[in-house]
Amino acid sequence: MLSRRWWDVAAIAVASILVLFTLFDPPPYGPNDWGVWATTGAFLVFYFAYARAHLGVDRLGPHLVISIAFAVLVGVGASFEPSFAIVQVFVYPFIWTTAPSIRSAVASNVLIGVALAAGYIVHFGPSGIIAGVISAVVSVGFSIALGLWITNIALYGQERGRLLEELQAAQGQLAAMHRDAGVVEERARLAREIHDTIAQSLTGLVMVAQRTGTRLEAVDGAAAASARSDVELMEQMAREALTEARGLVASLASVEPGAGLGDALARLGASFERETGVVVTVSANATGLSREHEVVLLRSAQEGLANVRKHASARHAAVTVESVDGEVVLTVSDDGVGPGAAMPGASGFGLTGIRDRTALVGGSFAIEPGAEGGTVLRVGIPRADAADSEETE
């Protein structure tokens, strides 16, 4: 709106100057003065009624209407009074502002120059041909030179702006990669710490409990029986804690899809099976995913298997990736107790994290009971090649 206000001020200022020039003539005012006033009024009416609304539109139709109307006004006004040519200081910049291309701007400049020369000829007769042509050539030449210079500056600014946006986008991607690398490194560090400290201590506790139970077998009496029971309970609790620790190691372990999503999922499944004892079957056969989408599916698979470890009490789990109707669908299923009333955010952040990750890339998320029991987690991601084909069509 600020630029339009400046154009409004310029239009009113030019019109005021035109009227003041004619008022310097002593009364009575003649037909030429009345003609200038009428043409100036028509200029203001056309500007505020039509031209003003098309500032920045850059369409050929409105540009042609504006160019023809201004050419007529310039020619008619100059036929009454040659000083009406001062309106060019407004008309030429306005033409460049509304032109959809440089070619159309140059053509409109020439049209207005021809109209100005015609106005001079009408006012002065044959003797005004030279003055009209010279005035038109000078004004059109100056307008084209200045317009091309300003246009090149604008194009250069636009190119710099585009490069700056690309640089900012690259910096954002780099920052995201550094952040992801930091998260991956921290997860790997936690996994190593848990494996080397808590898991090892729990393993030692299980072995000590087994050895103590063996020694107590040779001891008779109620006290010994009670002690054996306590030792068995200690062993059972240590084993359960060890299973939890190994599951945490499996879920925190760094698995990057650098060699492909299928290989990453296979390594994830093998690590999870080794740490938890749950048999994991992996089948991944899908293409058309960007690295960002592969990371989303990989993290979703990790979180899905973490839920299997925590809640399913399952013996088998399956991770599949396949293409279905323009999407790549990840499915994590198990033969455990089922999801019950599990909802994202109900008992932790895992499901909420999956839902949020998929939503950010325009994907879908669902968790439901399996047809033969257990739980089925589905995550769908749009295929990149499918999106490209739709845009082409």
Side-chain angles (χ1 to χ4, degrees):
M1 290 302 294
L2 181 62
S3 61
R4 289 189 178 184
R5 290 174 183 173
W6 281 110
W7 282 108
D8 296 345
V9 171
I12 295 173
V14 169
S16 301
I17 292 172
L18 291 173
V19 173
L20 287 175
F21 277 167
T22 58
L23 291 178
F24 287 150
D25 295 335
Y29 298 112
N32 287 342
D33 298 317
W34 290 102
V36 171
W37 297 341
T39 308
T40 302
F43 163 74
L44 288 176
V45 169
F46 174 75
Y47 168 74
F48 283 103
Y50 184 83
R52 183 179 186 273
H54 292 86
L55 275 169
V57 173
D58 295 341
R59 292 205 308 267
L60 183 60
H63 174 71
L64 288 177
V65 173
I66 293 171
S67 300
I68 294 172
F70 278 162
V72 171
L73 290 171
V74 169
V76 172
S79 68
F80 289 117
E81 174 58 52
S83 61
F84 193 88
I86 196 174
V87 78
Q88 294 175 106
V89 302
F90 176 89
V91 170
Y92 282 130
F94 195 92
I95 290 298
W96 279 99
T97 302
T98 59
S101 65
I102 294 178
R103 180 180 299 178
S104 61
V106 172
S108 298
N109 276 253
V110 173
L111 175 63
I112 293 173
V114 171
L116 177 64
Y120 269 72
I121 293 172
V122 171
H123 183 82
F124 293 108
S127 61
I129 295 177
I130 296 177
V133 170
I134 292 176
S135 178
V137 169
V138 171
S139 62
V140 171
F142 180 77
S143 173
I144 292 176
L146 185 62
L148 291 176
W149 179 57
I150 295 176
T151 300
N152 288 332
I153 292 176
L155 293 176
Y156 178 70
Q158 292 176 358
E159 179 65 14
R160 286 181 61 112
R162 184 186 65 81
L163 294 176
L164 179 60
E165 290 178 356
E166 291 181 355
L167 177 61
Q168 290 174 339
Q171 289 176 337
Q173 293 177 355
L174 183 61
M177 292 175 64
H178 281 301
R179 185 171 58 252
D180 290 342
V183 171
V184 170
E185 184 178 351
E186 182 63 17
R187 290 168 64 99
R189 188 189 68 80
L190 288 174
R192 290 193 302 269
E193 291 294 330
I194 293 174
H195 180 270
D196 295 340
T197 58
I198 298 176
Q200 296 298 329
S201 298
L202 290 172
T203 300
L205 182 58
V206 170
M207 295 176 63
V208 171
Q210 288 178 335
R211 186 168 63 248
T212 303
T214 302
R215 290 176 178 177
L216 288 174
E217 289 179 357
V219 181
D220 297 328
S226 177
R228 282 195 298 270
S229 177
D230 290 341
V231 170
E232 290 175 358
L233 179 60
M234 291 170 57
E235 181 182 352
Q236 179 183 354
M237 294 173 64
R239 287 185 181 278
E240 291 175 355
L242 179 59
T243 301
E244 290 289 327
R246 286 175 172 173
L248 285 174
V249 171
S251 62
L252 290 173
S254 173
V255 182
E256 286 300 312
L261 180 61
D263 292 339
L265 290 175
R267 292 196 299 271
L268 173 64
S271 175
F272 187 85
E273 182 174 336
R274 182 176 62 255
E275 298 291 346
T276 64
V278 178
V279 179
V280 180
T281 303
V282 177
S283 174
N285 183 19
T287 58
L289 285 174
S290 65
R291 183 183 181 279
E292 178 187 7
H293 290 178
E294 287 186 342
V295 171
V296 170
L297 292 182
L298 178 58
R299 296 305 178 213
S300 299
Q302 283 184 309
E303 194 58 51
L305 288 177
N307 281 330
V308 172
R309 174 186 59 81
K310 294 177 184 178
H311 309 298
S313 300
R315 299 177 59 189
H316 299 84
V319 178
T320 61
V321 179
E322 57 186 347
S323 298
V324 180
D325 298 332
E327 281 190 330
V328 176
V329 179
L330 166 74
T331 303
V332 180
S333 59
D334 62 72
D335 59 357
V337 297
M343 291 294 293
S347 59
F349 299 100
L351 297 180
T352 301
I354 298 176
R355 181 191 60 191
D356 293 344
R357 279 180 180 272
T358 55
L360 286 175
V361 295
S364 59
F365 161 79
I367 183 170
E368 58 191 6
E372 299 180 357
T375 305
V376 178
L377 171 70
R378 288 188 177 88
V379 173
I381 300 294
R383 289 168 55 96
D385 51 5
D388 294 340
S389 63
E390 289 179 1
E391 292 177 359
T392 303
E393 293 175 0

